[in-house]
Amino acid sequence: MATGSLTIDLDALMRNWQALNRASGPNVESGAVVKADGYGLGAGRVAQALAQAGARRFFVAVAEEGAAVRQALGPGPEICVFSGHMPGDADMIRDLNLVPMLNSVEQLTGHMEALPGHPFGIQLDTGMNRLGMEPAEWAAVAEIALAAGPELIMSHLACADTPDDPMNARQLKVFRELTEGCGVPRSLSATGGILLGRNYHFEVTRPGVGIYGGDPFVEAAPVAYLSLPVIQTREVEPGESAGYGCTWTAGDTCRLATVAAGYADGLFRAMGNRGHMFHEGVPCPIVGRVSMDLITVDISHLSVIPEALEILGADQTVDDVADAAGTIGYEILTSLGQRYTRSYAGGPGA
Ligand SMILES: *Cc1c(COP(=O)(O)O)cnc(C)c1O
């Protein structure tokens, strides 16, 4: 039996991308980040819907992820690989026509030896200290790299979700200094950077989480709807407890529902005694610990016994669930389990 049904609203996904594209400004191209299997929602279907919405440049984390995206999109759109060109990737990068974002002098020379003339981009590190060439490295190879005609020069902001953080302006300044007059399309901003304003947009933006309905794009429409079937309900008397470790005890007579999903499905154990599920807009608290495949919910205040309870959708965003689990919406999305029955609503051809 499936542990729940996950519905992905491709129309909402397309609207979110279009809104971020508009926010990026009129002469700026918005790409779309579809790494981690399209933030857990299915890279192929997501990429097709975003191509239909107008995206022409896609970003993945590693070359292997490019395969599913290329298969879904066909030969036209550009697919950029953040991790660059790693040993053993040359055949895949060539055959799928991927664009590696080269992150070091080593990657640059490796790429030029393995695939001379093949398109590439450059990633610069402007202070996050995660991925990309350092300013001194770039100074050493910029002339050679620019002569080979990169498709894109990019960097990534560490604190874009916090608009007031002085790190944003610092990184912007460094990026400008490193790329002034380079004559190549530039990209600095993911979802958070798009919302920082025009200065941060350059020629290309790279929205990810906002497309999928997550913060910091607070106006985003929900994309993932997750409903969990109720397997059993029971009445408990005051003083009775529920779940492993008996961490919850009934104060009054209560009706509990047991739903068929748990931490093995990406519903984090930290939500025990903290999170909520919903029935027609009415919140129902999770009581006791989250088990591997089961969660217990207090439905005493409902006038009916529901067949299912919603955990993601119109009543509760991925970020609400993340708050209850002590994490971020990104991790909720990318942890969505493989046991759910997945279906897509709307999108191309709908
Ligand atoms: C994941 C990622 C993005 C997208 O970020 P969001 O915050 O999801 O919009 C953009 N650029 C790089 C380099 C990334 O790693």
Side-chain angles (χ1 to χ4, degrees), residues 14 31 41 73 91 95-96 99 133 193 215 222 241 271 302 335 348-349:
M14 291 163 73
L41 301 182
L73 293 177
D91 290 349
D95 296 348
L96 298 170
V99 179
M133 295 188 203
D215 280 355
S241 59
M271 286 194 287
L302 300 182
S335 302

Side-chain angles (χ1 to χ4, degrees), residues 284-308:
C284 305
I286 293 173
V287 295
R289 286 194 183 145
V290 171
S291 301
M292 187 185 290
D293 325 289
L294 299 165
I295 301 176
T296 319
V297 180
D298 185 354
I299 57 162
S300 308
H301 52 304
L302 300 182
S303 52
V304 296
I305 293 189
E307 281 177 19

Side-chain angles (χ1 to χ4, degrees), residues 181-261:
C182 68
V184 174
R186 292 176 291 176
S187 178
L188 180 61
S189 287
T191 303
I194 292 171
L195 305 174
L196 292 179
R198 186 68 199 96
N199 285 346
Y200 287 84
H201 296 168
F202 295 90
E203 287 73 46
V204 177
T205 57
R206 309 186 307 273
V209 75
I211 302 173
Y212 306 94
D215 280 355
F217 184 37
V218 290
E219 288 108 74
V223 173
Y225 288 78
L226 178 57
S227 165
L228 308 172
V230 172
I231 310 173
Q232 191 182 19
T233 65
R234 75 187 67 242
E235 206 155 275
V236 296
E237 298 301 327
E240 285 195 84
S241 59
Y244 284 122
C246 301
T247 62
W248 174 87
T249 305
D252 292 309
T253 301
C254 288
R255 180 159 292 277
L256 302 185
T258 304
V259 305

